[in-house]
Amino acid sequence: MAQVPEYVRIVEEVFERYRGKPFVYVGTYRQRWDAVAKVTGKALFTTDFLKFYKNVVWVHSVRTKYAHAIIKNIDVSRAAKYPGVLRVVTAKDIPGVNDVGYVIPDQPLLATKKARYIGEIIALVIAEDPYVAREAGDLIHVDYEPLPVYTDPLQIVDLDTLKEKPHTRIHEERDSDIVAHFKIRAGDVEKALKEADVIVENKYRTPMQEHAYMEPEAAVAIPEQDGGVTVITSTQCPFDARKAIARVLNMPQSMVRVIAPFLGGGFGGKEDVANEIGSKAALATYLTGRPAVAIHTREESIIGHSKRHPMVTWYRHAAKKDGTLLSVEANIVLDTGAYASLGPFVAWRATVHATGPYRVRNARIDTIAVYTNTVYSGAFRGFGNPQVAFAVERQMDILAEELGIDPVDLRLKNILRAGDRTVHGQLLTEEHGVGIEEAIKKAVEAADWYNKRRLYTRQTGPIRKGIGIALMYHGNSIGVEGADYSSATIIINRDGSITFRTGLTDMGQGAVMGLVMIAAEILGAPPEWFRVELPDTSSTPDAGPTVASRSTVMGGNATLVAAYKLRKRLNEVASTILGCSPDDIEIKAPDVYCRSDPSRKTTWNEVVEQSFWLGVPLQEFGYFRAPKARWDEETGQGEPYITYTFGAIVSEISVDIETGQVSVDKIITAYDIGKVINPIGAELHAEGGSIQGMGYALMEEIIHDINGVVRNNNLSTYYIPTIKDAPEIIPLWVEAGYKRGPFGAKGLGEPSIVAIAPSIVNAVSHALGIRFNEIPIPPHKIYLALKREGKTRL
């Protein structure tokens, strides 16, 4: 039997020790460590660092004019002679590898032989002035041989068979334009279909969604005396960015330093884009010996960085008359655009979650990711789960309608509970924390579901109300996608103040505050005593990527391990001062005393000072690695994730049938996230995910025309919700603790968007009696649907 690692034993011990006990800092409302700096404008974002450097050069990206074409020749001679231009860079000038692909090496930094989407970069202009660089870029002449353009994945594959259609290969260097194929095989679907009383079969579509973060992509590169380079860039993954930049520059990673300053939003979009923008700035610095800056305009950001994968899918659910689910089948096609980016991983996660949080004993799921000539798709909050959750939860509502069963009752009959196995065969136990039933009941009670469901059944007048529910579950951390580890360093300084370091980034979501609260709880020192140092590959430990809702679970465990080891040393030093057992020591800084005799006490600073005199180290590195995930490629059976976050969303809406306008009146979110470490952060996640999910449901969609041109490439034509659109949002919590999470905590960052769109669309369908199987549903689509159904009359 394999030995349990020390770090796992520590996490489990702390979970049991704190179970049912009151907390001092965890679960309390605290001011964020970065709040004052941000509200006073003192926080430095990437381009703020420009004021510290002189002789900065500007990097402009020259982009292709065709979505699919052979590049026959690139003539930069006129641009190179333009006054103020220092250098024009093409692929031949790259000293290392011309590739910035994230999962597979399919994406050149600078295109050479072929253009695969409009917006792909073919050259860089380095100049003294950004406007000069842009003007010179217009002088570059490229000879193209246009090729057929494919903007819909169903031009590449057949949805029924998932086989490739005849077409001009987008990636001719590969055997197929199908990037990845994942599947689940469970039970006997054919037998289940024969036993079924009701079969529901539908096709669904979800859109390409833009992250629309406040801060577009940016990087500042600075030359170092030893020939290396420092890159300050807005990234979620500084160590991955360092690896990519080092490859482009043909340098060892030790010569490349990446700093992740404050980020103005990420949502997954800044997971891989630093590979590109960081490499552009670093390359300019390498070639000129001067500081360099690369900044995307909003238009460049929209046409040039990864998006949420559009999905086309076919689903078939079979059930008995009493509502028992018998089988689920699905063909899922994800459009990964011109390059893979995170596409294979997104397709895998979509596959894992393709049957929703339900007991499904018979399943046949096939998911493929397909190249097209659109902007490439990659990581986006939810990572494939919002797409399949929309289809699954629409199916559940339609199934309930066909059976004459209330949608809540149908879900309660089929949800996963402790003791059940997932569709992958993973046994869920009490140790995982399976709180979805409680989440449903909390949300339904808060919404007055059953009463409103009846009340909204028959309505007259121009405004029609509806109420809808959707469920979700979301695997925590990376699973089988990669090495699943994290780390943190805690240093107690001689004056008693504390330094906290981790390679996990805070992109505005407040995750690092949760880590500080975990450390504060273990050490017994208030969060206000901590100073957080931002990620820097030269000083902070590699904590893995800031993705997959892993900051609290994985980073929190690493933090807990470091704090636990320090606390043991502090207790031992305090015991020598006070003359009681280390287990009897209570630390509530600034006070330190014997629990059995509080009159015997000293101070935090005295314990810290004595530690230095006694040679007791007060610096500790914490590390945690998730238990190994298992996945069988042929059957989709195994244990894909360490645990799951569960949730139930109830949305209430109003529809104006004269205009098709939908107003979301209220969203109630009930999430099982284990122990709520940072309530403010959790509430803001619930609110932010709800608003972003509302945009996904009602208005957000990147539109490509038949030539591959993005037609809404700025925020005047790509609509996102504003504060005027925001409904009342009521966050509720279920704390079904996960034994191997910090104090039982689970993740929330990604789950908070997953079930929002289907709950809203289910509510709209309830209000109007019309089935909507694709999103978004803006007013014109709803009005046309009403007109087709003859329901525009009052």
Side-chain angles (χ1 to χ4, degrees):
M1 185 176 179
Q3 187 175 3
V4 176
E6 179 192 28
Y7 51 79
V8 173
R9 292 201 306 272
I10 289 172
V11 170
E12 291 182 347
E13 177 188 326
V14 169
F15 174 76
E16 294 297 339
R17 182 182 297 178
Y18 280 81
R19 189 203 293 260
K21 293 184 179 179
F23 288 85
V24 177
Y25 302 116
V26 164
T28 64
Y29 287 79
R30 318 290 299 194
Q31 179 176 293
R32 269 174 56 163
W33 65 277
D34 56 355
V36 173
K38 286 183 174 178
V39 299
T40 58
K42 294 179 180 178
L44 296 178
F45 296 81
T46 297
T47 54
D48 292 325
F49 285 85
L50 285 174
K51 62 187 177 184
F52 300 118
Y53 303 103
K54 297 179 180 179
N55 299 317
V56 173
V57 300
W58 295 78
V59 184
H60 171 67
S61 300
V62 180
R63 300 176 184 273
T64 60
K65 306 297 184 183
Y66 289 87
H68 197 198
I70 294 171
I71 299 172
K72 302 178 74 173
N73 183 57
I74 303 174
D75 182 357
V76 303
S77 57
R78 291 179 63 204
K81 295 174 184 177
Y82 196 78
V85 171
L86 301 175
R87 185 143 185 181
V88 179
V89 181
T90 58
K92 63 181 176 57
D93 300 306
I94 295 174
V97 178
N98 182 26
D99 183 79
V100 290
Y102 198 88
V103 175
I104 59 177
D106 67 341
Q107 184 174 354
L109 175 63
L110 301 176
T112 55
K113 299 177 180 179
K114 195 176 190 184
R116 295 185 173 91
Y117 74 101
I118 290 179
E120 183 159 18
I121 304 168
I122 55 173
L124 304 175
V125 179
I126 306 171
E128 302 275 4
D129 180 272
Y131 299 103
V132 168
R134 188 175 301 175
E135 290 165 2
D138 292 337
L139 300 177
I140 292 175
H141 178 73
V142 183
D143 287 332
Y144 294 100
E145 181 183 318
L147 297 171
V149 175
Y150 306 102
T151 59
D152 188 317
L154 297 190
Q155 293 175 290
I156 307 295
V157 296
D158 182 89
L159 181 60
D160 295 329
T161 64
L162 299 184
K163 301 295 184 183
E164 232 173 330
K165 296 177 179 178
H167 69 285
T168 301
R169 187 73 53 80
I170 296 171
H171 280 266
E172 67 285 344
E173 77 281 8
R174 294 174 54 88
D175 295 334
S176 170
D177 277 336
I178 297 176
V179 185
H181 181 187
F182 297 101
K183 51 194 175 184
I184 294 175
R185 300 291 185 268
D188 188 336
V189 171
E190 293 304 318
K191 181 182 178 184
L193 288 171
K194 292 175 182 176
E195 295 174 351
D197 296 310
V198 176
I199 295 174
V200 169
E201 181 177 342
N202 289 289
K203 293 178 181 178
Y204 299 91
R205 274 188 181 262
T206 62
M208 177 179 284
Q209 186 182 20
E210 158 66 21
H211 300 79
Y213 26 65
M214 289 190 292
E215 176 202 33
E217 303 78 10
V220 176
I222 306 102
E224 299 293 347
Q225 294 179 357
D226 61 359
V229 62
T230 292
V231 180
I232 303 166
T233 186
S234 49
T235 177
Q236 296 174 222
C237 310
F239 287 87
D240 289 344
R242 179 181 68 171
K243 178 182 176 182
I245 294 167
R247 280 169 49 83
V248 169
L249 298 182
N250 195 27
M251 285 184 181
Q253 292 181 31
S254 59
M255 296 284 283
V256 177
R257 177 188 182 191
V258 174
I259 299 170
F262 287 108
L263 270 65
F267 310 118
K270 291 179 180 174
E271 184 170 344
D272 62 345
V273 74
N275 292 10
E276 177 205 302
I277 199 160
S279 293
K280 291 191 295 188
L283 184 58
T285 289
Y286 175 88
L287 294 173
T288 65
R290 292 168 59 176
V293 58
I295 305 172
H296 283 173
T297 64
R298 180 61 66 182
E299 288 78 6
E300 284 183 297
S301 180
I302 288 179
I303 69 170
H305 87 84
S306 63
K307 304 289 179 282
R308 185 184 301 286
H309 288 75
M311 178 197 73
V312 186
T313 187
W314 165 86
Y315 263 86
R316 182 161 64 190
H317 280 58
K320 290 184 176 180
K321 285 187 292 188
D322 65 358
T324 302
L325 278 178
L326 294 179
S327 67
V328 178
E329 298 171 88
N331 287 347
I332 301 166
V333 179
L334 292 171
D335 178 357
T336 203
Y339 294 104
S341 181
L342 278 292
F345 291 168
V346 174
W348 179 75
R349 186 177 278 266
T351 306
V352 173
H353 296 87
T355 61
Y358 303 105
R359 289 189 307 274
V360 178
R361 295 182 175 85
N362 305 289
R364 197 275 306 158
I365 308 294
D366 284 276
T367 305
I368 60 174
V370 178
Y371 287 124
T372 62
N373 295 122
T374 61
V375 180
Y376 66 97
S377 293
F380 197 140
R381 189 185 210 167
F383 211 75
N385 200 358
Q387 293 94 315
V388 295
F390 172 71
V392 169
E393 291 304 305
R394 286 296 297 130
Q395 283 285 99
M396 293 299 288
D397 254 40
I398 294 169
L399 188 60
E401 185 180 337
E402 294 291 329
L403 290 166
I405 298 175
D406 185 273
V408 168
D409 296 338
L410 178 66
R411 287 169 168 86
L412 283 170
K413 186 174 186 64
N414 290 285
I415 54 170
L416 290 164
R417 295 175 170 86
D420 289 332
R421 291 188 180 273
T422 66
V423 70
H424 338 94
Q426 182 174 7
L427 178 64
L428 298 180
T429 68
E430 295 289 351
E431 291 183 357
H432 288 95
V434 187
I436 189 167
E437 182 173 7
E438 186 179 349
I440 295 170
K441 291 178 178 178
K442 279 193 171 186
V444 165
E445 181 181 2
D448 192 17
W449 169 272
Y450 292 104
N451 183 44
K452 288 180 179 175
R453 190 78 181 179
R454 287 191 296 269
L455 185 65
Y456 299 159
T457 299
R458 295 184 180 181
Q459 304 175 72
T460 58
I463 305 301
R464 306 294 168 84
K465 291 185 173 293
I467 186 169
I469 189 170
L471 308 185
M472 54 71 59
Y473 78 143
H474 195 82
N476 282 202
S477 205
I478 293 174
V480 300
E481 296 167 30
D484 206 354
Y485 64 90
S486 196
S487 59
T489 298
I490 302 174
I491 301 169
I492 301 177
N493 304 298
R494 196 159 184 172
D495 66 352
S497 63
I498 304 167
T499 301
F500 180 78
R501 295 173 177 164
T502 181
L504 295 169
T505 61
D506 196 317
M507 62 198 89
Q509 83 278 34
V512 173
M513 185 63 196
L515 307 188
V516 169
M517 293 172 76
I518 289 167
E521 190 70 44
I522 296 291
L523 293 174
E528 293 76 18
W529 290 10
F530 286 72
R531 180 180 185 273
V532 176
E533 294 190 355
L534 295 170
D536 181 337
T537 58
S538 69
S539 60
T540 54
D542 183 355
T546 311
V547 300
S549 300
R550 62 192 303 275
S551 292
T552 297
V553 178
M554 300 299 296
N557 276 342
T559 300
L560 184 150
V561 169
Y564 175 94
K565 292 180 178 180
L566 284 173
R567 177 61 187 262
K568 283 184 72 74
R569 292 179 205 150
L570 291 170
N571 280 10
E572 289 166 1
V573 171
S575 73
T576 63
I577 297 172
L578 300 176
C580 56
S581 165
D583 293 336
D584 194 30
I585 295 296
E586 186 73 54
I587 300 179
K588 291 185 178 179
D591 298 323
V592 180
Y593 54 90
C594 299
R595 201 174 291 110
S596 60
D597 183 4
S599 65
R600 296 159 68 182
K601 62 181 180 179
T602 184
T603 65
W604 168 270
N605 281 47
E606 180 60 25
V607 174
V608 170
E609 181 65 21
Q610 285 301 312
S611 297
F612 277 86
W613 281 104
L614 294 171
V616 176
L618 293 184
Q619 309 86 30
E620 188 56 64
F621 172 77
Y623 176 87
F624 187 87
R625 185 183 180 97
K628 188 173 178 60
R630 295 187 301 105
W631 180 261
D632 185 288
E633 292 289 346
E634 292 302 314
T635 64
Q637 298 299 294
E639 296 180 354
Y641 292 105
I642 53 177
T643 192
Y644 300 86
T645 295
F646 297 91
I649 313 299
V650 175
S651 295
E652 296 182 46
I653 60 89
S654 300
V655 186
D656 186 333
I657 65 170
E658 295 179 323
T659 65
Q661 181 68 44
V662 174
S663 298
V664 180
D665 303 320
K666 182 185 293 186
I667 297 177
I668 297 170
T669 69
Y671 291 113
D672 162 26
I673 59 170
K675 181 61 188 175
V676 180
I677 301 293
N678 178 9
I680 291 178
E683 290 170 8
L684 294 177
H685 267 304
E687 292 174 5
S690 293
I691 294 169
Q692 199 169 47
M694 181 176 68
Y696 189 48
L698 299 178
M699 63 188 74
E700 295 190 46
E701 182 177 19
I702 291 288
I703 303 294
H704 291 80
D705 67 16
I706 60 172
N707 296 313
V709 177
V710 175
R711 286 303 181 186
N712 50 343
N713 65 353
N714 57 58
L715 295 181
S716 67
T717 50
Y718 181 87
Y719 305 125
I720 61 174
T722 68
I723 195 65
K724 289 185 176 181
D725 301 304
E728 178 186 5
I729 300 169
I730 302 174
L732 305 172
W733 310 110
V734 174
E735 295 186 305
Y738 168 50
K739 186 177 182 179
R740 289 186 173 177
F743 302 116
K746 298 189 284 190
L748 179 60
E750 293 201 273
S752 61
I753 194 175
V754 171
I756 303 299
S759 73
I760 291 172
V761 176
N762 284 344
V764 173
S765 291
H766 174 233
L768 302 179
I770 300 174
R771 295 176 179 178
F772 294 94
N773 291 350
E774 66 176 66
I775 51 174
I777 46 171
H780 72 275
K781 288 186 179 179
I782 291 176
Y783 183 78
L784 290 174
L786 285 164
K787 197 168 184 179
R788 282 195 303 269
E789 298 288 330
K791 295 186 177 183
T792 53
R793 293 185 297 275
L794 302 186

